[in-house]
Amino acid sequence: MGSPASLRTLPVALTIAGSDSGGGAGIQADLKTFLAMGVHGTSAIVSLTAQNTTGVSAVHDVPTDFIQEQIKQVVTDMKVVAAKTGMLSNADIVGAVAESIKDLQIPNLVVDPVFISKNQDRLLSEKALTDLIEKLLPLAEIVTPNLYEAGALLDTETSTLPHMREAAKRILELGPRAVLIKGGHLEGNAVDVFYDGTDLVEIDGPMIDSPHTHGTGCTLSAGIAAELAKGSPLLESVRTAKDFVSGAIRNGLSIGRGYGPTNHGWRFIENPDRSKT
């Protein structure tokens, strides 16, 4: 008989988000990011989407009691040391998720406030947005809005670096322990602004010319959660996650007829396009 397999453990992270049937964003992107960054990924699915690289054709929301049961079963069995939220499509879901996170005392929460699309379409009702601000942001270790979302959270224009600096300070007053405003829609380099009440840090990065960027926001927030799960300091977690996302965009996948996904396996897949080998 062979020797018994050695037993291993990994930090556990939880994603609470929607499912992307095309595999580029949402739960699927989060779990691939967790794996690539060395943590065990768990999930609570809040919505099912029928989508591909060209768009979303249908959304089916999961009942809130079942969302809460998913979270409960994961957290009461495994030691979840970090979590992230993604798309929460209505006020009832926002409230149910916030209640579970608070009651179960889930630490190191990364809130990706997915409520404005890259086409600047509003994805949440006013009631759901209000509940996200009042119920979820105060539970967050960090919140990661893009430029449009930062502006909507404050009902003000956020389109320049000075705007971002001011917005980061004002969003911190809504309750999270830190804020990261993503500058992917800025002119020039992709500068993100981090603020934790003490340090205001600009994190520069190259603007990578690629259409295959589906799921970048999900990947970034999942990367931050993964690093927090491993015990990294918050700002270091942000920098590491941004580096990972840059590599995933640089090696993006031309899959489907529309905007392809970032490549979560860029560190260990030598030839992603195996159809050409």
Side-chain angles (χ1 to χ4, degrees), residues 3-25:
S3 59
S6 60
L7 299 178
R8 299 193 60 187
T9 186
L10 289 173
V12 179
L14 168 66
T15 170
I16 305 169
S19 169
D20 174 0
S21 57

Side-chain angles (χ1 to χ4, degrees), residues 133-240:
I133 292 170
E134 295 181 353
K135 297 179 180 180
L136 199 58
L137 291 196
L139 303 175
E141 187 70 21
I142 186 168
V143 59
T144 62
N146 62 31
L147 289 181
Y148 309 136
E149 290 157 348
L153 285 171
L154 301 171
D155 194 24
T156 187
E157 181 183 3
T158 305
S159 58
T160 67
L161 197 52
H163 288 161
M164 293 169 68
R165 298 187 194 107
E166 180 61 26
K169 295 175 182 178
R170 290 181 58 194
I171 291 173
L172 192 78
E173 296 173 357
L174 299 176
R177 261 70 72 197
V179 179
L180 179 73
I181 299 183
K182 299 175 291 190
H185 297 103
L186 283 174
E187 295 292 331
N189 280 5
V191 181
D192 300 338
V193 173
F194 171 90
Y195 184 59
D196 63 0
T198 302
D199 296 317
L200 183 66
V201 181
E202 296 175 12
I203 306 172
D204 205 350
M207 188 67 75
I208 301 167
D209 184 17
S210 171
H212 306 306
T213 58
H214 183 52
T216 52
C218 304
T219 301
L220 178 66
S221 55
I224 296 170
E227 288 301 304
L228 290 174
K230 292 189 290 186
S232 299
L234 183 54
L235 181 55
E236 180 183 325
S237 297
V238 170
R239 292 186 186 277
T240 301

